């Protein structure tokens, strides 16, 4: 409901899309809205409690990126040819963002749990039968990043100077809670997507049956 309020003018744009396309578009927008609030919360949290202006600005820019994607009406139809490439690119981008923050927080803040959130989100955007290679590539990228960040310290990269040792427990707990919430939301969105697909299949069967009768 909130994204409809934010983009009422854009959503009023005349564009002919069928019911499935429209429902799937709203479902994607709700997912982007979830990402928007997660990144917005972290950008505010970091600047408020740690005063890390650089990271806060970095997260804010990404936050407005999700806002921009939400504003593109009919994205599933208008950009169908490049949509899969865009989805893969975003997953890779998010993977490197998780890796960056995992290293930036000395690997003590529980950021690595977000790798699993990314894996759970893959079925929402891609189809295992049609997009097997894309799913394999995304899984490979996430796995490589997870293993590399787990076994290498990257001492040559700068770490956060704003997080005290006693803060890591709080941040880790927060990241675990967000990871669990994201996982549950992934399940909800995947279930809704499956319901849309099943509804589309049922509708087509009914139309085919009507055509045969006629």
């Amino acid at each position: 409901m909130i994204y409809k309020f934010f983009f009422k003018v854009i959503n009023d744009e005349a564009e002919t899309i069928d019911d499935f396309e429209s429902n799937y578009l709203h479902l994607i927008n709700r997912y982007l809205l979830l990402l928007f609030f997660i990144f917005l919360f972290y950008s505010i949290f970091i600047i408020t409690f740690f005063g890390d202006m650089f990271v806060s600005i970095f997260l804010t820019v990404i936050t407005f990126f999700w806002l921009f994607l939400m504003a593109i009406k009919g994205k599933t139809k208008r950009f169908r040819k490049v949509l899969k490439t865009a989805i893969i690119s975003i997953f890779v981008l998010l993977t490197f963002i998780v890796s960056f923050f995992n290293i930036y927080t000395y690997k003590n803040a529980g950021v690595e749990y977000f790798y699993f959130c990314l894996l759970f989100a893959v079925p929402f955007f891609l189809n295992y039968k049609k997009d097997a290679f894309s799913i394999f590539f995304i899984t490979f990228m996430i796995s490589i990043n997870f293993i590399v960040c787990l076994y290498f310290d990257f001492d040559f990269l700068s770490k956060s100077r704003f997080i005290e040792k006693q803060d890591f427990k709080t941040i880790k707990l927060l990241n675990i809670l967000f990871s669990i919430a994201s996982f549950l939301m992934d399940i909800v969105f995947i279930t809704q997507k499956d319901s849309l697909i099943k509804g589309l299949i049922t509708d087509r069967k009914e139309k085919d049956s009507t055509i045969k009768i006629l």
Side-chain angles (χ1 to χ4, degrees):
M1 296 300 294
I2 298 178
Y3 71 82
K4 289 182 180 179
F5 174 77
F6 283 163
F7 302 108
K8 187 176 184 303
V9 176
I10 297 175
N11 283 338
D12 287 338
E13 175 189 351
E15 184 169 353
T16 56
I17 54 177
D18 56 34
D19 290 338
F20 175 79
E21 201 80 32
S22 177
N23 290 332
Y24 188 44
L25 173 63
H26 290 311
L27 195 59
I28 289 178
N29 279 349
R30 287 200 294 271
Y31 198 96
L32 292 173
L33 184 66
L34 172 66
L35 289 175
F36 166 77
F37 279 121
I38 289 176
F39 277 82
L40 180 63
F41 171 81
Y42 271 101
S43 61
I44 295 174
F45 177 80
I46 289 174
I47 191 63
T48 302
F49 291 94
F50 303 112
D52 195 336
M53 182 67 70
F54 171 75
V55 171
S56 182
I57 292 174
F58 175 68
L59 287 176
T60 302
V61 171
I62 299 174
T63 298
F64 284 103
F65 172 69
W66 307 129
L67 211 62
F68 168 73
L69 289 181
M70 287 168 58
I72 302 176
K73 180 167 176 59
K75 61 180 74 67
T76 57
K77 181 177 182 180
R78 187 182 301 169
F79 304 108
R80 187 180 298 278
K81 292 182 179 180
V82 297
L83 189 60
K84 188 186 297 185
T85 304
I87 290 172
I88 296 172
S89 301
I90 290 174
F91 267 104
V92 173
L93 172 64
L94 287 172
T95 301
F96 283 116
I97 289 174
V98 172
S99 298
F100 166 75
F101 279 103
N102 192 29
I103 297 169
Y104 188 71
T105 56
Y106 301 91
K107 299 191 292 186
N108 292 323
V111 179
E112 65 273 10
Y113 295 110
F114 285 99
Y115 286 120
F116 301 101
C117 294
L118 290 175
L119 285 175
F120 292 137
V122 171
F124 174 70
F125 292 97
L126 298 173
N127 185 294
Y128 282 114
K129 293 182 179 179
K130 297 180 180 179
D131 308 313
F133 178 79
S134 301
I135 292 173
F136 174 78
F137 176 74
I138 292 173
T139 304
F140 175 77
M141 290 298 298
I142 294 174
S143 301
I144 289 296
N145 275 263
F146 177 76
I147 293 171
V148 169
C149 288
L150 185 66
Y151 286 100
F152 295 93
D153 292 329
F154 295 96
D155 293 329
F156 59 92
L157 297 177
S158 60
K159 308 294 192 298
S160 175
R161 307 186 309 274
F162 301 91
I163 303 178
E164 301 295 335
K165 192 173 182 179
Q166 62 271 16
D167 296 327
F168 282 113
K169 288 185 178 179
T170 303
I171 300 174
K172 190 168 186 176
L173 176 61
L174 187 67
N175 284 331
I176 291 174
L177 292 176
F178 262 97
S179 299
I180 294 173
S182 298
F183 168 73
L184 295 176
M185 291 303 296
D186 286 338
I187 297 299
V188 171
F189 282 114
I190 292 170
T191 303
Q192 292 179 353
K193 177 187 175 183
D194 288 341
S195 298
L196 286 177
I197 294 174
K198 288 178 181 178
L200 178 64
I201 293 173
T202 303
D203 184 59
R204 285 185 176 177
K205 287 182 178 179
E206 291 177 355
K207 289 181 179 178
D208 290 341
S209 177
T210 304
I211 291 172
K212 287 182 181 179
I213 293 173
L214 293 174

